[in-house]
């Protein structure tokens, strides 16, 4: 795809942004914010995300991990967006395919891993980490994220909220209610829509008749921008711009990132039943990680030796987190009752006592 | 001490809490200049400003979802859903989201959110407006369900709700909004959750109710005096938490019980009351626990609502049957 740099006449929708092309060259006229050292950092995080996903899939196949939705193919969205927000003051409201974004934002990998292993205490997001729990009820996080951003402004905090949704989530009523309220309140929020082309087996074409998802923003009275979601440099740029806009009082933005789910919806899914091999192969040729490696190799900053060394280091890091999560204390039966009420009703206290006494109520 | 009706008592509670705590805010449809369709928020926007008394887009899920986020930001939102029947359009943000958020976050987050919603028949409302769906929320553990029946409780329970660190659904009996005034103190006070109140003493039978049905039960108890029947009336005040102790002790004392509610009979909260009494005080009962409720059909057009809702005659007849059993 050739980059289009001419601004659209429609202020609400700009041309699709692109910096680093699939062949590892920089788009003509692009002036990326990411410098080489920073791009190396982005690459490391993207590799960490993919290696973690691969490890988890292998463990799940052995019955050692819960149902899991990998982000394979979407690492540029996950990492490019996360690198544009400030973990100290900004909040991240994830869906469920942005695991490594939340880790970048300060959530320890062993904590989010413990969540998938069904742990309770060890899976609690630590105080000070500005990340909300993963959200499996599709798009339910959007009105919540809007409320959070609105409230942070009422509390006079210099914070921006970034939240994630997919192409499928854009069809939910909560998408409309969340974005509409954000537009009306001019809340400091960035809606990051990863269009990975699939809602389980349902094609993106079923989700909307609009040409691209960024167009949806016009209906809410704020900025919409389309970006090559496999281009970490472009994703970073547009997210930085959206964050700056939100922080300076310019209101919300919708970023529509065009990417491809190069894996399954989750570990129970079988894409061969509905996915065309040639679409997958085409996506494969636009791999977000390989293009960064090609680009850096051209600068003499990347080679097979470095790749092997990083791969080994990252695998060790991921293994350490996995080990910590696995060895963290398993929940006790009475944890069924944990964290529901500040003061449980007497009936619940009695049910808990019955369970502990082995009477089962 | 001032005399207030329920509308004025609620308005007073909101004003007290907004005055005392700058984090408390009110949001919903028409809560600003109009003061709410029932005027419960009247005057608040003039006193506390449009940043804290917010007219929102017409979107129930958005109002509740945003309230969750506002609470996480450190605000104390009091959201108004214009009628309880319309919580259907925001239900997923109440039961699955708000009620579970503390558990889903392993206790990292809690949602200090109050949702106020008028409900109930008897005021000739259009469809959906009267639906009594309180029992649906009982199956969503994590949210407290508060059903005041009189001005004093309305104020005290609402202040308790606003201060509760967990989410509360506060259902307001619109039929009684502008009913009899009674003494409601100025200043803040609370009525604790999970403490049923014996609103009328009686020796032979206990009428159990909440919200507007309490008023009906009081009238029934008056009418039953002519039959020589001494009926007590127990106002549960909150369905979650449920005051099992007071309920069981009171029914054990009279040996007879009639539960009255304005929601449909089947799987209504009366079924929970009846089952609880079976489990706890079966051997103290002199008669089967009876239920008087709306019928198992959707709320009809207002022209038929008097036939649909529990009437004085139906309650009195049920008590007589119970006395003969």
């Amino acid at each position: 795809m050739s980059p289009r740099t001419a601004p659209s006449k429609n202020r609400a929708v700009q041309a699709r942004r692109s910096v680093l092309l699939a062949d590892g060259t920089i788009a003509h006229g692009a002036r990326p914010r990411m410098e080489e050292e920073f791009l190396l950092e982005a690459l490391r995080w993207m590799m960490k995300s993919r290696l973690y996903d691969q490890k988890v899939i292998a463990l799940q196949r052995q019955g050692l991990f819960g149902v899991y939705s990998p982000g394979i193919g979407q690492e540029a969205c996950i990492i490019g967006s996360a690198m544009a927000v400030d973990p100290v003051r900004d909040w991240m409201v994830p869906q469920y395919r942005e695991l490594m974004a939340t880790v970048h934002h300060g959530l320890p990998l062993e904590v989010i891993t413990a969540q998938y292993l069904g742990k309770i205490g060890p899976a609690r997001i630590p105080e000070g980490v500005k990340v909300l729990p993963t959200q499996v009820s599709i798009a339910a996080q959007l009105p919540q994220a809007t409320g959070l951003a609105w409230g942070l402004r009422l509390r006079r905090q210099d914070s921006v909220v970034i939240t994630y949704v997919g192409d499928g989530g854009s069809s939910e009523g909560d998408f409309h209610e969340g974005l509409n309220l954000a537009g009306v309140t001019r809340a400091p929020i960035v809606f990051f829509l990863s269009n990975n082309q699939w809602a389980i087996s349902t094609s993106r074409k079923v989700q909307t008749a609009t040409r691209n998802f960024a167009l949806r923003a016009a209906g809410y009275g704020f900025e919409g921008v389309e970006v090559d979601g496999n281009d970490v440099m472009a994703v970073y740029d547009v997210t930085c711009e959206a964050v700056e806009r939100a922080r300076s009082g310019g209101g919300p933005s919708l970023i529509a990132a065009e990417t491809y789910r190069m894996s399954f919806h989750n570990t129970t899914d079988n894409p061969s039943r509905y996915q065309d091999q040639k679409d997958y192969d085409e996506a494969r040729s636009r791999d977000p990680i390989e293009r960064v490696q090609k680009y850096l190799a051209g600068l003499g900053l990347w080679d097979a030796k470095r790749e092997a060394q990083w791969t080994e280091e990252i695998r060790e890091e991921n293994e350490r987190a996995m080990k910590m999560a696995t060895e963290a204390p398993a929940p006790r039966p009475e944890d069924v009752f944990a964290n529901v009420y500040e003061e449980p009703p007497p009936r619940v206290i009695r049910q808990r006592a019955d369970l502990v006494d082995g009477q089962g109520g | 001490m001032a005399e207030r009706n329920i509308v004025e008592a609620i308005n007073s509670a909101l004003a007290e809490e907004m005055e005392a705590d700058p984090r408390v805010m009110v949001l919903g449809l028409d809560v600003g200049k109009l003061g709410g369709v029932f005027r419960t928020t009247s005057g608040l926007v003039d006193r506390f400003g449009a940043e804290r008394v917010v007219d929102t887009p017409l979107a129930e899920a958005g109002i509740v979802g945003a309230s969750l986020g506002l609470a996480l930001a450190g605000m104390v939102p009091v959201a108004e859903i214009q009628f309880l029947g319309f919580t259907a359009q925001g239900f997923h943000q109440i039961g699955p989201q708000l009620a579970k958020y503390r558990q889903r976050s392993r206790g990292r987050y809690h949602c200090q959110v109050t949702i106020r919603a008028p409900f109930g028949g008897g005021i000739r409302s259009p469809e959906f407006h009267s639906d009594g769906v309180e029992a649906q929320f009982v199956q969503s553990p994590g949210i407290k369900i508060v059903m005041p029946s009189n001005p004093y409780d309305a104020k005290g329970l609402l202040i308790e709700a606003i201060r509760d660190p967990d989410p509360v659904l506060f259902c307001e009996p619109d039929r009684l909004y502008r009913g009899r005034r009674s003494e409601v103190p100025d200043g803040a006070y609370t009525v604790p959750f999970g403490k049923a109140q014996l609103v009328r003493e009686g020796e032979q039978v206990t009428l159990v109710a909440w919200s507007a049905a309490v008023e009906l039960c009081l009238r029934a108890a008056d009418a039953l005096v002519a039959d020589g029947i001494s009926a007590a009336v127990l106002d549960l005040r909150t369905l979650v938490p449920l005051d099992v102790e007071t309920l069981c002790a009171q029914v054990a004392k009279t040996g007879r019980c009639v539960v009255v509610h304005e929601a449909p009979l089947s799987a209504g909260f009366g079924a929970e009351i009846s089952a609880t009494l079976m489990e706890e005080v079966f051997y103290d009962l002199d008669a089967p626990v009876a239920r008087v409720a709306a019928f198992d059909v959707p709320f009809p057009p207002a022209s038929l609502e008097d036939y649909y809702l529990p009437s004085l005659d139906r309650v009195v007849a049920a008590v007589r049957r119970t006395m003969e059993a």
Side-chain angles (χ1 to χ4, degrees):
Chain A
M1 179 185 321
S2 64
R4 290 179 291 168
T5 47
S8 162
K9 280 182 184 163
N10 182 351
R11 189 176 160 273
V13 183
Q14 302 160 0
R16 182 184 295 185
R17 292 277 291 274
S18 178
V19 173
L20 181 60
L21 305 178
D23 63 3
T25 61
I26 296 286
H28 179 68
R31 290 166 60 187
R33 295 183 185 223
M34 271 192 172
E35 292 180 355
E36 281 127 25
E37 276 308 305
F38 202 54
L39 182 61
L40 276 165
E41 191 184 327
L43 174 60
R44 188 163 180 124
W45 277 99
M46 290 199 291
M47 288 174 65
K48 186 175 173 74
S49 179
R50 185 163 299 182
L51 289 165
Y52 180 83
D53 284 352
Q54 288 168 346
K55 173 74 183 173
V56 163
I57 293 164
L59 288 171
Q60 195 279 335
R61 297 307 188 222
Q62 300 165 61
L64 299 173
F65 210 86
V67 172
Y68 180 74
S69 292
I72 294 173
Q74 299 174 223
E75 291 89 351
C77 293
I78 294 165
I79 299 306
S81 61
M83 290 179 85
V85 287
D86 175 4
V88 175
R89 54 185 169 159
D90 297 333
W91 284 79
M92 183 174 282
V93 183
Q95 192 162 266
Y96 54 80
R97 209 183 292 279
E98 306 82 22
L99 181 144
M100 208 52 75
T102 63
V103 175
H104 187 276
H105 208 66
L107 181 59
L109 184 57
E110 61 271 20
V111 172
I112 184 76
T113 303
Q115 180 200 300
Y116 282 95
L117 295 175
K119 306 289 168 85
I120 304 297
R124 179 180 167 136
I125 300 167
E127 289 298 325
V129 175
K130 294 186 164 69
V131 174
L132 299 193
T134 51
Q135 180 61 265
V136 174
S137 183
I138 303 298
Q141 73 280 8
L142 301 180
Q144 299 167 3
T146 294
L148 176 62
W150 175 18
L152 291 166
R153 200 187 51 200
L154 290 173
R155 304 282 289 159
R156 312 282 182 250
Q157 304 209 7
D158 183 29
S159 305
V160 170
V161 173
I162 186 166
T163 186
Y164 295 87
V165 67
D167 40 313
S170 76
S171 302
E172 289 278 7
D174 275 351
F175 180 89
H176 169 65
E177 296 194 24
L179 270 68
N180 189 50
L181 184 64
V184 169
T185 57
R186 293 188 69 74
I189 185 165
V190 179
F191 296 98
F192 194 98
L193 188 158
S194 302
N195 171 17
N196 69 8
Q197 316 298 329
W198 297 105
I200 307 187
S201 71
T202 305
S203 163
R204 159 261 186 271
K205 295 184 192 77
V206 173
Q207 305 295 346
T208 177
T210 56
R211 183 170 50 79
N212 74 57
F213 288 93
L215 285 166
R216 303 277 308 264
Y220 303 117
F222 55 77
E223 206 87 17
V225 54
E226 197 188 9
V227 65
D228 177 356
N230 283 18
D231 175 350
V232 73
M233 297 173 88
V235 168
Y236 177 74
D237 285 359
V238 299
T239 314
C240 282
E241 288 162 19
V243 168
E244 284 158 10
R245 192 156 46 236
R247 203 176 318 275
S248 62
S253 308
L254 172 64
I255 295 171
E258 288 287 313
T259 181
Y260 197 88
R261 197 192 73 206
M262 278 169 40
S263 183
F264 25 76
H265 163 65
N266 67 29
T267 41
T268 68
D269 181 27
N270 178 7
S272 72
R273 289 178 68 88
Y274 56 82
Q275 198 179 58
D276 197 331
Q277 183 65 34
K278 75 176 185 346
D279 287 347
Y280 176 82
D281 293 342
E282 200 274 330
R284 189 77 191 73
S285 73
R286 291 185 287 109
D287 188 292
I289 295 178
E290 284 173 14
R291 74 172 71 178
V292 175
Q293 291 171 335
K294 278 183 202 161
Y295 172 67
L296 290 170
L299 299 175
L301 294 169
W302 192 254
D303 55 27
K305 188 174 158 226
R306 195 163 196 188
E307 180 164 357
Q309 186 198 333
W310 276 28
T311 301
E312 194 187 319
E313 286 170 13
I314 294 166
R315 280 198 174 128
E316 274 174 25
E317 283 167 32
N318 288 350
E319 290 285 349
R320 264 200 305 278
M322 197 70 74
K323 186 164 185 285
M324 282 172 77
T326 307
E327 290 173 358
R332 301 158 300 167
E334 58 266 37
D335 284 336
V336 165
F337 297 93
N339 307 316
V340 179
Y341 300 95
E342 172 117 341
E343 277 182 52
R347 200 167 226 197
V348 174
I349 292 170
R350 191 164 126 184
Q351 290 166 354
R352 183 182 185 277
D354 288 347
L355 178 72
V356 173
D357 295 347
Q359 296 168 9
Chain B
M1 203 185 277
E3 297 247 312
R4 291 181 165 95
N5 61 28
I6 291 180
V7 166
E8 292 157 351
I10 286 167
N11 187 270
S12 168
L14 292 170
E16 291 289 348
E17 289 307 279
M18 293 189 79
E19 189 66 52
D21 183 348
R23 300 172 307 151
V24 177
M25 65 183 288
V26 167
L27 69 158
L29 309 182
D30 309 305
V31 297
K33 278 191 178 165
L34 181 66
V37 291
F38 289 105
R39 310 294 181 264
T40 45
T41 57
S42 192
L44 296 179
V45 71
D46 295 331
R47 196 164 155 194
F48 300 103
E51 210 175 53
R52 291 176 67 198
V53 182
V54 186
D55 282 329
T56 62
L58 203 174
E60 288 77 11
I63 291 167
V64 179
S67 296
L68 188 158
L70 284 161
L72 298 185
M75 299 299 290
V76 179
V78 183
E80 179 173 318
I81 298 296
Q82 207 156 62
F83 289 88
L84 188 67
F86 296 116
T87 55
Q89 279 164 282
F91 186 86
H92 65 288
Q93 287 288 354
I94 303 175
Q97 294 294 323
L98 201 53
K100 291 188 186 186
Y101 213 79
R102 186 190 278 274
Q103 188 200 49
R104 290 186 56 250
S105 73
R106 314 299 208 247
R108 163 73 196 274
Y109 300 109
H110 64 96
C111 302
Q112 189 166 351
V113 174
T114 303
I115 301 171
R116 298 178 38 241
F119 83 109
I123 60 165
R124 306 293 185 252
S125 293
E127 57 183 347
F128 303 114
H129 292 64
S130 303
D131 294 356
V133 293
E134 66 271 23
Q136 293 180 4
F137 296 93
V138 179
Q139 284 279 312
S140 294
I143 189 163
K144 293 170 182 169
I145 302 170
V146 179
M147 313 289 294
S149 70
N150 62 72
Y152 180 89
D153 284 0
K155 180 171 176 179
L157 289 168
L158 182 54
I159 292 177
E160 180 80 358
I162 294 169
R163 294 179 184 179
D164 194 304
D166 287 312
V168 177
L169 178 65
F170 189 89
C171 304
E172 300 171 3
D174 53 30
R175 175 161 67 80
L176 304 184
Y177 262 153
R178 295 186 182 279
R180 204 163 47 83
R181 283 188 168 79
S182 57
E183 288 193 352
V184 173
D186 295 328
Y189 65 92
T190 58
V191 171
F193 292 166
K195 298 284 175 213
Q197 188 183 29
L198 194 65
V199 290
R200 182 188 171 108
E201 303 267 357
E203 301 306 317
Q204 294 165 291
V205 59
T206 302
L207 307 185
V208 176
W210 52 93
S211 195
V214 172
E215 184 266 352
L216 174 64
C217 288
L218 287 170
R219 282 190 280 131
D222 281 343
L224 288 160
V225 172
D227 293 2
I229 298 170
S230 168
V233 179
L234 185 69
D235 178 356
L236 292 181
R237 284 175 160 163
T238 60
L239 305 188
V240 179
L242 175 64
D243 185 356
V244 176
E245 198 182 332
T246 303
L247 170 72
C248 291
Q250 172 59 32
V251 172
K253 212 162 88 184
T254 56
R256 289 178 160 85
C257 177
V258 177
V259 190
V260 181
H261 60 68
E262 297 194 358
L265 180 81
S266 296
F269 198 72
E272 184 57 44
I273 298 300
S274 180
T276 298
L277 293 169
M278 289 300 118
E279 287 170 352
E280 304 286 338
V281 293
F282 178 79
Y283 297 105
D284 296 307
L285 294 176
D286 299 318
V289 174
R291 290 180 288 163
V292 182
F295 301 117
D296 289 333
V297 294
F299 205 103
S303 55
L304 289 169
E305 71 178 353
D306 293 342
Y307 300 102
Y308 169 79
L309 292 168
S311 63
L312 184 63
D313 287 349
R314 285 172 61 203
V315 176
V316 167
V319 172
R320 286 185 186 137
R321 277 196 306 277
T322 300
M323 293 309 297
E324 287 157 13

